[in-house]
Amino acid sequence: MMLRACPSATRPAACGRSSRSLVVVRASAEPTDSKNLEIMRKFSEQYAKRSNTYFCVDKSVTAVVIQGLAEHKDTLGAALCPCRHYDDKEAEATQGYWNCPCVPMRERKECHCMLFLTEDNDFAGREQTISMEEIKNGISGMR
Amino acid sequence: MALSSSQRCTTGAKVLKAQPVVRRVLPVLPATKPASSRRVAASAQKQQYSSFEDMLTRSDVPLLVDFYATWCGPCQMMTPVLGAMAARFQDRLRVVKIDTDRYPGVASKYRVQALPTIALFKGGNIVFRFEGVLNEAQLAERIQYHLGSSSGASAGTAE
């Protein structure tokens, strides 16, 4: 993930997209840069309030999705939706349709990640906040 | 990988410990890097296909496949439901989870988009497909329909 901060002008070839895509494959084994995790946590709280949506009654679902968003932000530079399969993640992150908040969410409040749930959704809880501790607990024990 | 707080899950799914019968795709593939990058050699991808295709063609019972990703929240909700299906249908059904980050070729081949995607393969073809979370009753009803057996297991227990 540090390759994006490529400092040296003497090895431009290694700083290109090809290097970054190598990092993508290892992301899941490493803890996310906690800065992006905090950024996505704050974003989720703010966006839930702004959109009048609520977190899942089971907060571990919320936690897992926020972790997924943070990880994509680390590896791709954008919070690409973690609940989708893509043929080309980098192209999708650049294109933007599935960058959180995705177009379906912005237009129709549809979030299949169950991160932002409308009040009438069976799985919606009553909370629009989630602490970092709740996130750590929710993702503990996972790869 | 059951949710730590899955007991509060409102789907009504019974909470089960991870069942050994819920298996990942056989680890017979070469140790290629999870091919999120498109630079995996074509031959490695072909090997991925042929293992899954192998499993599909060789399986004499229908195959229930869960396409998931690690950090997909709703995918985690399916874990206990899949365990329940394995327990309910026993030898009449084979349950497999496919990590779409590790096996993107398979996921792309079957046009998997939203996760989780549940697909029931019968005779190598998809006979039922659903994007999203299903609870035990819903999924069991669909599987039972396609298994087509008259003597269902525990005849339709209401959730």
Side-chain angles (χ1 to χ4, degrees):
Chain A
M1 51 202 142
M2 292 306 121
L3 288 174
R4 275 187 284 123
C6 181
S8 165
T10 59
R11 48 178 191 113
C15 288
R17 292 164 68 88
S18 58
S19 305
R20 187 167 58 177
S21 57
L22 284 176
V23 177
V24 173
V25 299
R26 288 177 44 236
S28 56
E30 299 182 354
T32 295
D33 172 2
S34 61
K35 193 171 61 154
N36 275 330
L37 190 58
E38 173 60 16
I39 287 172
M40 295 319 298
R41 184 192 71 81
K42 278 224 176 72
F43 156 76
S44 301
E45 290 187 335
Q46 287 163 0
Y47 197 81
K49 289 179 183 122
R50 197 161 90 213
S51 62
N52 289 321
T53 54
Y54 297 85
F55 292 149
C56 184
V57 64
D58 181 344
K59 287 278 207 51
S60 65
V61 170
T62 312
V64 166
V65 174
I66 291 177
Q67 167 71 17
L69 289 168
E71 215 164 87
H72 277 160
K73 199 153 159 62
D74 280 347
T75 56
L76 303 167
L80 191 65
C81 175
C83 307
R84 252 186 114 74
H85 169 67
Y86 309 93
D87 291 331
D88 184 332
K89 278 192 179 182
E90 285 194 359
E92 293 284 355
T94 303
Q95 201 272 338
Y97 187 97
W98 289 110
N99 288 346
C100 187
C102 64
V103 170
M105 177 65 201
R106 284 185 267 148
E107 291 186 349
R108 298 182 298 279
K109 296 200 180 171
E110 283 175 11
C111 174
H112 68 281
C113 281
M114 298 176 68
L115 176 58
F116 304 113
L117 298 167
T118 51
E119 219 170 348
D120 58 335
N121 189 300
D122 287 342
F123 295 99
R126 290 198 199 97
E127 297 179 37
Q128 294 172 319
T129 56
I130 182 166
S131 67
M132 186 54 83
E133 197 186 337
E134 283 178 283
I135 292 181
K136 299 286 191 193
N137 288 337
I139 65 179
S140 71
M142 293 183 57
R143 183 157 59 96
Chain B
M1 281 193 292
L3 290 174
S4 57
S5 53
S6 55
Q7 286 174 340
R8 299 202 299 274
C9 184
T10 60
T11 60
K14 295 191 175 69
V15 173
L16 295 172
K17 295 196 175 81
Q19 299 292 327
V21 294
V22 177
R23 294 155 54 181
R24 297 179 186 277
V25 170
L26 303 171
V28 296
L29 303 174
T32 55
K33 291 179 178 171
S36 314
S37 76
R38 277 90 32 231
R39 297 181 198 277
V40 173
S43 58
Q45 290 218 342
K46 269 195 206 152
Q47 284 176 310
Q48 293 182 17
Y49 289 174
S50 60
S51 274
F52 183 71
E53 295 305 321
D54 246 12
M55 181 166 39
L56 268 191
T57 50
R58 285 203 213 155
S59 181
D60 47 353
V61 295
L63 204 64
L64 181 69
V65 180
D66 170 27
F67 292 94
Y68 76 100
T70 303
W71 299 116
C72 158
C75 297
Q76 304 306 318
M77 294 174 77
M78 286 308 296
T79 300
V81 176
L82 294 175
M85 294 304 103
R88 187 190 280 228
F89 294 98
Q90 304 274 331
D91 294 338
R92 295 191 293 143
L93 180 74
R94 185 163 170 178
V95 182
V96 169
K97 288 173 69 170
I98 294 188
D99 182 339
T100 59
D101 281 333
R102 288 184 63 201
Y103 303 104
V106 177
S108 290
K109 180 178 179 188
Y110 292 100
R111 300 264 186 273
V112 171
Q113 295 185 328
L115 301 174
T117 288
I118 308 297
L120 183 64
F121 286 81
K122 207 169 153 192
N125 299 312
I126 295 182
V127 296
F128 166 70
R129 182 184 180 125
F130 188 83
E131 286 183 337
V133 179
L134 289 168
N135 66 26
E136 275 184 51
Q138 293 165 332
L139 189 50
E141 191 265 327
R142 286 287 86 208
I143 294 172
Q144 186 61 61
Y145 174 80
H146 287 287
L147 288 188
S149 152
S150 51
S151 65
S154 60
T157 312
E159 276 298 315

